[in-house]
Amino acid sequence: MEFDVYGVMLITAVRFRVEKRSENTMARAGVLLTRHGEVPTPVFMPVGTQASVKTVSPEELRQIGAGIILSNTYHLYLRPGHELIEKAGGLHSFMSWDGAVLTDSGGYQVFSLGPLRTISEEGVEFRSHIDGSPHMFTPERVMEIEMALGADIAMCFDECTPYPCDYEYAKESAAMTARWAERCLEAHSREDQALFGIVQGSVYPDLRKSSAADISSLGFPGYAIGGLSVGEPKDLMYSILDETVPCLPEDKPRYLMGVGSPDALLEGVARGVDMFDCVLPTRVARNGTVFTREGRIIVRDAAYAEDFRPLDPGCDCYACRNFSRAYIRHLLKAGEVLGIRLTSIHNLRHLIRMMEEIRSAIIEGTFSEYRKEQWEIWYNN
């Protein structure tokens, strides 16, 4: 047997198994087996864009139950550079994280640069948002970078179309994403890293179905649904998932990119999605918004100045076990870093615990009831 520096047995890339399916929905409980441990699904992945989840340490991520995190190829390529991270032994060693890691291809970040980038069949020419220096991302170049970073899961290079997007552009873009996926497969040679394909097609059901068929035909070990949660109404996102997910292989993990609100996680799971990521929980935490079992609260508000209850009395995170709403509000108002650390830890733990509860409900056959209870919280509060 071969082991890594943490004593973790190395396995070839990633495997996935479904352990239980919901009777009344498409929800399923499974396990993602990586060379850095087993990850129960459905799972929410905290985002560590630049090899760090903002204000939260790797040890704190372990304590809140995170088994897999996400980092970003675009940002790490620009700073500190994938060559340096490779010299450090890869992302796991560089950031001292012994759990699983997924790297996004940076496609969303590149395409969000607007006038700073030019798209062609070859790839994308762009200028750094940091210093304006010119760069070129091709599928082959992105695979080179992701293999150097050494995550357990790498994503194909794709074009993330905006919303709204006209039909013809979405059609041409999805076809190009499929051609890029073939080039990514050909260029990717790291056997201990799984490469996932990405389905595009904007909000057009026929394009989503044809993209799912094209990408699925390439035989990836996992599939992502990209180009959603980019400004479209949630009901429209859910309807596109209804059309797309059934077209993906039943025995492979399904990943909905960039989605992290509690209600959208619940509805994504109900439609058969296994993996999610989003910066939302830590971003809103820095503004004083926290998730609770009664819905969102803005703990910066004056109403909590003399509220000595935990952020969420039913939560087991470090913040809720030790501090009051009044104290955390004081920290936020005073500009103390501990305040945003505590709200970030809490929000991440809330979503991870929610996914644990969803998984248990699927296994116990009570997911429909759990979903109804959560709807009462997030839609009628």
Side-chain angles (χ1 to χ4, degrees):
M1 294 183 184
E2 187 178 358
F3 297 84
D4 71 4
V5 294
Y6 295 101
V8 177
M9 185 176 69
L10 294 175
I11 64 173
T12 301
V14 165
R15 298 194 301 271
F16 178 72
R17 68 171 183 265
V18 176
E19 297 190 328
K20 187 69 180 290
R21 292 175 173 82
S22 169
E23 292 184 3
N24 303 316
T25 71
M26 291 184 65
R28 66 227 198 125
V31 177
L32 190 69
L33 296 99
T34 81
R35 59 194 173 99
H36 288 89
E38 295 188 358
V39 180
T41 63
V43 62
F44 176 78
M45 302 180 286
V47 176
T49 300
Q50 304 191 76
S52 174
V53 176
K54 288 189 184 300
T55 77
V56 182
S57 73
E59 180 57 32
E60 288 164 336
L61 288 171
R62 296 183 192 98
Q63 290 172 1
I64 64 175
I68 179 170
I69 63 174
L70 180 144
S71 287
N72 184 266
T73 298
Y74 166 83
H75 288 285
L76 294 176
Y77 160 77
L78 290 178
R79 184 174 53 191
H82 58 289
E83 296 96 341
L84 185 146
I85 293 175
E86 186 174 32
K87 287 181 182 177
L91 264 178
H92 295 87
S93 177
F94 187 57
M95 65 187 296
S96 191
W97 170 250
D98 58 0
V101 177
L102 181 151
T103 46
D104 191 358
S105 68
Y108 175 81
Q109 286 70 29
V110 168
F111 297 115
S112 67
L113 292 173
L116 295 178
R117 52 92 173 129
T118 303
I119 306 169
S120 68
E121 183 68 32
E122 179 61 20
V124 183
E125 292 184 70
F126 64 94
R127 290 192 173 273
S128 164
H129 72 285
I130 299 172
D131 59 12
S133 57
H135 302 270
M136 179 76 175
F137 266 13
T138 65
E140 293 79 12
R141 179 62 166 157
V142 170
M143 290 302 95
E144 176 189 338
I145 297 166
E146 291 198 84
M147 287 190 289
L149 294 175
D152 301 85
I153 300 171
M155 302 305 300
C156 281
F157 191 48
D158 66 321
E159 181 182 6
C160 179
T161 51
Y163 177 83
C165 174
D166 70 68
Y167 182 88
E168 287 305 319
Y169 187 90
K171 181 178 180 180
E172 293 174 7
S173 175
M176 185 174 67
T177 286
R179 293 191 296 271
W180 283 2
E182 292 186 59
R183 290 167 59 187
C184 286
L185 267 177
E186 186 174 346
H188 188 268
S189 60
R190 184 161 181 163
E191 293 184 356
D192 64 349
Q193 182 182 69
L195 179 64
F196 281 19
I198 304 177
V199 174
Q200 290 289 347
S202 188
V203 294
Y204 303 102
D206 62 324
L207 298 185
R208 284 286 174 176
K209 291 177 181 178
S210 62
S211 177
D214 290 342
I215 300 298
S216 296
S217 71
L218 298 176
F220 290 102
Y223 297 89
I225 301 167
L228 292 178
S229 192
V230 291
E232 79 282 359
K234 283 183 178 176
D235 285 347
L236 181 54
M237 176 176 72
Y238 300 151
S239 69
I240 292 300
L241 289 177
D242 287 333
E243 300 285 350
T244 307
V245 175
C247 300
L248 297 175
E250 175 67 24
D251 60 343
K252 302 292 178 62
R254 303 156 176 165
Y255 164 29
L256 178 56
M257 307 179 79
V259 170
S261 64
D263 54 332
L265 294 180
L266 186 71
E267 291 307 300
V269 169
R271 288 162 171 81
V273 176
D274 307 296
M275 304 166 65
F276 305 83
D277 82 280
C278 195
V279 299
L280 177 71
T282 48
R283 176 174 289 169
V284 300
R286 296 193 293 277
N287 295 320
T289 298
V290 294
F291 305 139
T292 77
R293 291 182 184 273
E294 283 74 47
R296 293 177 181 83
I297 66 170
I298 303 174
V299 74
R300 290 177 62 96
D301 287 354
Y304 303 103
E306 297 184 11
D307 191 335
F308 301 109
R309 295 174 296 168
L311 293 174
D312 187 344
C315 180
D316 59 3
C317 79
Y318 174 74
C320 290
R321 285 187 286 109
N322 291 281
F323 305 105
S324 69
R325 296 176 178 184
Y327 178 66
I328 293 173
R329 177 182 183 272
H330 155 68
L331 293 176
L332 294 172
K333 298 293 285 186
E336 290 289 340
V337 174
L338 180 59
I340 61 175
R341 281 176 40 74
L342 294 175
T343 53
S344 296
I345 288 169
H346 169 77
N347 276 356
L348 289 174
R349 177 56 189 155
H350 180 91
L351 295 188
I352 289 171
R353 187 182 71 246
M354 178 182 173
M355 300 307 267
E356 293 170 348
E357 292 172 353
I358 287 174
R359 189 175 193 277
S360 295
I362 295 170
I363 291 172
E364 294 167 5
T366 58
F367 174 72
S368 293
E369 291 81 357
Y370 181 88
R371 182 186 183 191
K372 182 178 179 181
E373 292 170 2
Q374 294 299 309
W375 262 77
E376 292 294 322
I377 293 172
W378 295 104
Y379 287 93
N380 297 324
N381 189 286

